[in-house]
């Protein structure tokens, strides 16, 4: 190649892909370290901690192996599935290890002759919590079924996440019931520290003890407050916006303005050069590559009115201080203001997916359907003007259904008959003058090229020049075209779009806000107020809104069915509808924190958020099972040993099940919640989507845990008071009969 010629990429996705994967790999590493440190800090026994930590890399490796066999690539979503499962993966192992350590600690206090064999202790401790752990892990797995049922774009996006999360949790569950109990026998041995010997546990017990005393004393007040908190949460929920997917910042931009129909190729090229020059002047821009018109393929039916400019940006550390993608787009939009040009700013990958799915290149599109193209164009203009007044609109452009310019030559049949001409003779001259005619072929080796002949531009660039084009007549001589007919420019459809066999005109709407749901509600109200559709015409909202409506309708059907399956699984574990109901209280408790977190963080409801909420419901059902499990174990222990003689004894049993067993509950919650912290504070590529998944999980786990620690003992005490009184009454009736 010549020294002054270079080949440069106009667009390169590899930087985005590598950055996203590297960011998630770092997040996975950070999560693993945090989870390991939490386990070590609470157990203060390295060998026991190793058993729980062992689950993490092993389950992740199993997930990678299945991904390889299934053909799932390492991408944002597939790695994200493992990332949101990191904390929950070790829950089963934590409970098994902690319960074994607790049993061994109790056994060490007994005289030598009463101490049980080591493996018996391991077996009994595993049997005590094993069934509940199994069902809780099953609930977590089943709760993710709605994600597997997602369809089309959202399904292709989130199914890899659902697969990898399920694989990770499945591997962790298998390890918990196979290898972990064996490892317990070998590693959980020697002198075990008591829970109260751990300074962290001692602090938690000291803090939690008066809380349990208070909630049992003021149990109805506590339950009423919990109900009030749930009801108050309706207020922020009504103020949260909605969108299909959070914006994934791709690192590059795509500028797709639209001109009015009838623009000439010369003018279109001039506009393209002007916009490219303005955009390239920004210091954040690396390269600008603009395209106008269409390629010679049916897969790219782009009209001359649509410009596509790919903007490659520099790394963010080379941007001006305080500059963000949103500010940059706003500055670019203000700088590129050309009369007759309607701006639209988006991102390359997102736009390609949107246009392949619905044909709409902007976040919101309006498709107006009806039989008459002229009426469609008028309606499109009216909608465009109304939409521009709706808050949140950056730009709106309605396609001109009949806005194209055509040169029509109406032949005067009587005139051509006077000169002895026929229609074909006149049409051939007109066609060769304007469009050219292939007159022969040239053969160069094995290559063949057509030779096209037409008038030079000076003889055909305007109507007056065309009128002077000469037509030879049979008798000799020439006659100008204007003597043989009328040449005029008329309006017509530049492109006819149709859906469901009905002609369409589309309105493209670019937004300054991400809350698409609220924007469309405002836009619908404005259109209903100012525009009356004639009979036979209809309006359909498209773009991201179309995806959002489809996903919402689908999830509203699947999630209740999944909850029904979860209820059945919980009942199979507890064998009691009352206990199942208590466990299910974790779900509204978790939604309190999820909704408040989303509201305060300014996140909209989206498919990503719903995926996080679905994952949250499974995790919170697990924490509810664990909380109820320890309360039940303690109560049954007191009941079996005949220690429930007074209400003070009942309180003591609840105190032992709630306060003295706070360590495993705190460990499972902290590993899950703090394990998500690197995702929540991440700023790399792909973090926007992952934050929406992690946000409801973190907020929900926090409030669910707080309310479980306070409300569960109150409810349990209220229910068991009746059971204990009934038991005492039966004993009183039995004792006189015996006497």
């Amino acid at each position: 190649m010549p020294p002054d010629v270079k080949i440069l990429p106009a667009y390169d996705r590899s930087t985005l892909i590598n950055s996203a994967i590297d960011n998630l790999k770092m997040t996975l590493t950070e999560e693993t370290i945090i989870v390991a440190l939490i386990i070590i800090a609470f157990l203060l026994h390295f060998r026991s901690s190793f058993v729980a930590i062992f689950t993490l890399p092993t389950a992740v490796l199993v997930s990678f192996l299945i991904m390889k066999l299934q053909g799932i690539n390492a991408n944002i979503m597939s790695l994200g599935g493992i990332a949101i499962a990191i904390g929950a993966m070790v829950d089963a192992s934590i409970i098994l290890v902690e319960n074994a350590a607790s049993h061994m600690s109790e056994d060490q206090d007994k005289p030598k002759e009463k101490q049980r064999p080591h493996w018996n202790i391991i077996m009994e401790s595993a049997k005590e919590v094993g069934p509940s752990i199994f069902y809780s892990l099953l609930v977590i797995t089943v709760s993710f079924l709605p994600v597997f049922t997602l369809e089309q774009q959202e399904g292709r996006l989130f199914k890899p996440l659902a697969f990898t999360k399920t694989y990770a949790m499945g591997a962790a569950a298998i390890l918990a019931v196979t290898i972990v109990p064996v490892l317990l026998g070998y590693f959980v041995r020697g002198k075990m520290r008591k829970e109260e010997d751990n300074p962290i546990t001692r602090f938690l017990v000291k803090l939690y003890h008066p809380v349990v005393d208070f909630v049992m004393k003021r149990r109805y007040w506590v339950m009423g407050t919990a109900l009030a908190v749930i009801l108050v949460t309706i207020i922020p929920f009504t103020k949260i916006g909605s969108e299909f997917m959070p914006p994934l910042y791709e690192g590059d931009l795509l500028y797709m303005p639209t001109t009015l129909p009838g623009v000439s190729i010369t003018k279109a090229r001039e506009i393209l050069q002007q916009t490219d020059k303005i955009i390239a002047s920004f210091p954040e821009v690396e390269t600008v590559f603009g395209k106008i018109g269409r390629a010679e393929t049916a897969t790219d039916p782009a009209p001359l009115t649509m410009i596509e400019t790919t903007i490659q940006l520099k790394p963010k550390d080379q941007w001006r201080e305080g500059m963000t993608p949103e500010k940059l787009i706003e500055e670019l939009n203000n700088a590129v203001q050309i009369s007759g040009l309607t701006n639209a700013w988006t991102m390359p990958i997102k736009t390609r997916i949107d246009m392949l799915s619905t044909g709409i290149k902007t976040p919101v599109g309006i498709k107006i359907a009806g039989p008459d193209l002229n009426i469609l164009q008028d309606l499109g203009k009216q909608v465009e003007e109304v939409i521009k007044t709706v808050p949140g609109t950056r730009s709106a452009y309605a396609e001109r259904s009949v806005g194209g310019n055509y040169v029509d030559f109406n032949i005067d049949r009587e005139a051509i008959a006077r000169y002895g001409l026929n229609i074909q003779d006149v049409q051939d001259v007109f066609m060769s003058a304007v469009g050219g005619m292939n007159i022969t072929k040239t053969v160069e080796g094995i290559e063949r090229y057509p030779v096209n002949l037409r008038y030079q531009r000076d003889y055909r660039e305007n109507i007056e020049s065309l009128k002077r084009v000469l037509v030879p007549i049979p008798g000799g001589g020439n006659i100008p075209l204007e003597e043989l007919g009328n040449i005029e420019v008329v309006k017509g459809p530049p492109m006819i779009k149709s859906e469901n066999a009905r002609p369409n005109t589309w309105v493209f709407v670019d937004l300054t806000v991400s809350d698409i749901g609220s924007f469309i509600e405002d836009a619908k109200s404005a259109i209903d107020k100012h525009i009356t559709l004639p009979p036979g015409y209809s309006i359909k909202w498209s773009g991201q809104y179309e995806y959002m409506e489809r996903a919402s309708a689908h999830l509203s059907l699947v999630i209740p069915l999944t909850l029904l399956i979860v209820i059945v699984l919980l009942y199979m574990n507890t064998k009691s509808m009352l206990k199942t109901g208590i466990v299910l209280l974790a779900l509204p408790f978790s939604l309190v924190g999820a909704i408040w977190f989303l509201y305060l963080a300014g996140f909209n409801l989206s498919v990503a958020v719903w995926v996080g909420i679905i994952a949250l419901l499974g995790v919170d059902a697990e924490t509810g099972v664990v909380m109820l499990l320890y309360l039940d174990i303690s109560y049954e222990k007191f009941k079996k040993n005949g220690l429930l003689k007074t209400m003070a004894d009942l309180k003591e049993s609840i105190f032992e099940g709630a306060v003295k067993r706070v360590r495993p509950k705190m460990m499972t919650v902290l590993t899950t919640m703090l394990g998500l912290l690197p995702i929540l504070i991440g700023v790399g590529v792909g973090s926007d989507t992952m934050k929406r998944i992690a946000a409801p999980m973190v907020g929900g786990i926090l409030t669910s845990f707080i309310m479980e620690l306070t409300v569960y003992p109150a409810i349990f005490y209220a229910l068991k008071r009746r059971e204990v009184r009934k038991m005492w009454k039966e004993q009183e009736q039995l004792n006189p009969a015996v006497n």
Side-chain angles (χ1 to χ4, degrees), residues 271-335:
I271 292 172
L272 185 65
Q273 291 172 344
Q274 288 178 347
T275 57
D276 285 359
K277 186 176 181 180
I278 294 170
I279 294 169
S281 66
F282 281 74
E284 290 79 12
V285 175
E286 182 74 33
T287 62
V288 180
F289 182 79
K291 176 187 83 71
I292 195 165
R294 57 171 290 180
E296 293 183 4
T297 169
T299 62
D300 183 27
L304 194 64
T305 57
M306 187 173 75
I307 298 175
E308 296 180 21
T309 302
T310 303
I311 307 167
Q312 291 194 111
L313 301 176
K314 297 177 182 177
K316 282 190 175 181
D317 56 7
Q318 299 180 31
W319 290 15
R320 286 170 287 171
E321 187 176 351
M323 181 59 68
T324 64
E326 292 76 18
K327 288 183 180 179
L328 179 60
I329 289 174
E330 196 62 35
E331 289 190 11
L332 286 167
N333 188 65
N334 293 333

Side-chain angles (χ1 to χ4, degrees), residues 227-240 592 595-596:
L227 179 61
V229 169
I230 294 171
L231 294 175
V232 168
T233 306
I234 296 174
I235 297 172
F237 181 73
T238 58
K239 296 182 179 180
I240 296 176
V592 169
I595 291 169
W596 277 104

